[in-house]
Amino acid sequence: GIQVEQSPPDLILQEGANSTLRCNFSDSVNNLQWFHQNPWGQLINLFYIPSGTKQNGRLSATTVATERYSLLYISSSQTTDSGVYFCAASGGGAQKLVFGQGTRLTINP
Amino acid sequence: EAQVTQNPRYLITVTGKKLTVTCSQNMNHEYMSWYRQDPGLGLRQIYYSMNVEVTDKGDVPEGYKVSRKEKRNFPLILESPSPNQTSLYFCASSLWGGGGYEQYFGPGTRLTVT
């Protein structure tokens, strides 16, 4: 089945910095989503982005399906951006999402 | 508001005491599924349902049951919970089950089995 790898595993930044999180996947995908898991454990949908580029405020994402990777950009980081960011993908006819191991982002004031 | 709801959000129980975690969605989605999240193992699918009365096993179905009698509800049943089922559980839904549809996740249920 499809495999999803995220990098880096941990990222520590100062407030105001920009960051780029990467997600590599092993096969062609029909779904790719980015989530933010907040300190209470909730998974917050950030983007549904099997291909192309999307932006939502300070966050944007790009998926290059032909090269099997996706990037999540966070600009002007705030302490509330801290948490774990997950990339998840599905491929073929399956709807099951395969999750990466996550990137733990810590934003220090 | 379009959403997936789960209840309870937190539960502490004892080994062997049957419990049910409810999941409901108000988006008229055909596909629903359950995941569990464990440290070091990530999120893994337990069961899924393509539509009413159709359910199938995911990657880690042992010790769990599900039912899908109505489109909106997909309860997760632990007939005899054990400590290794202590986990964070998520219910999710999407419009269809054929792949390529955005999945919406519930807020999670944190279960502790002592």
Side-chain angles (χ1 to χ4, degrees), chain B residues 58-110:
Chain B
D59 297 321
V60 287
E62 296 78 19
Y64 304 95
K65 286 176 57 178
V66 292
S67 69
R68 188 89 181 275
K69 292 182 170 52
E70 307 167 280
K71 183 184 279 193
R72 64 183 293 123
N73 296 323
F74 190 44
L76 180 70
I77 303 158
L78 286 72
E79 294 269 3
S80 184
S82 62
N84 65 12
Q85 293 177 298
T86 292
S87 188
L88 179 58
Y89 291 86
F90 291 99
C91 180
S93 73
S94 63
L95 185 60
W96 298 103
Y101 294 93
E102 183 175 7
Q103 287 199 36
Y104 298 84
F105 281 73
T109 294
R110 198 172 292 276

Side-chain angles (χ1 to χ4, degrees), chain A residues 58-81:
Chain A
R58 296 182 295 105
L59 274 61
S60 64
T62 295
T63 297
V64 184
T66 53
E67 297 187 22
R68 299 184 183 170
Y69 73 88
S70 183
L71 300 174
L72 177 69
Y73 304 97
I74 305 173
S75 65
S76 305
S77 299
Q78 301 175 358
T79 56
T80 52
D81 294 330

Side-chain angles (χ1 to χ4, degrees), chain A residues 30 33 37 48 95-97, chain B residues 37 59 94 99-101 103:
Chain A
N30 51 30
Q33 294 182 236
Q37 188 164 39
Y48 166 70
Q95 187 66 2
K96 178 185 77 173
L97 283 175
Chain B
Q37 183 180 21
D59 297 321
S94 63
Y101 294 93
Q103 287 199 36

Side-chain angles (χ1 to χ4, degrees), chain B residues 3-44:
Chain B
Q3 60 184 348
V4 179
T5 57
Q6 295 179 226
N7 282 291
R9 294 288 313 282
Y10 303 90
L11 180 60
I12 301 174
T13 189
V14 296
T15 298
K17 185 176 181 181
K18 181 180 178 179
L19 66 92
T20 300
V21 183
T22 65
C23 172
S24 183
Q25 50 89 8
N26 62 1
M27 296 171 279
N28 204 36
H29 285 174
E30 294 285 346
Y31 180 90
M32 298 184 74
S33 67
W34 279 100
Y35 295 82
R36 62 177 287 176
Q37 183 180 21
D38 302 289
L41 297 174
L43 284 98
R44 296 172 292 169

Side-chain angles (χ1 to χ4, degrees), chain A residues 1 16 19 32 34 43 45 47 51 53 59-60 62 71-72 81 97:
Chain A
S19 58
L32 189 130
W34 283 96
L43 282 174
N45 274 33
F47 294 103
S51 64
T53 298
L59 274 61
S60 64
T62 295
L71 300 174
L72 177 69
D81 294 330
L97 283 175

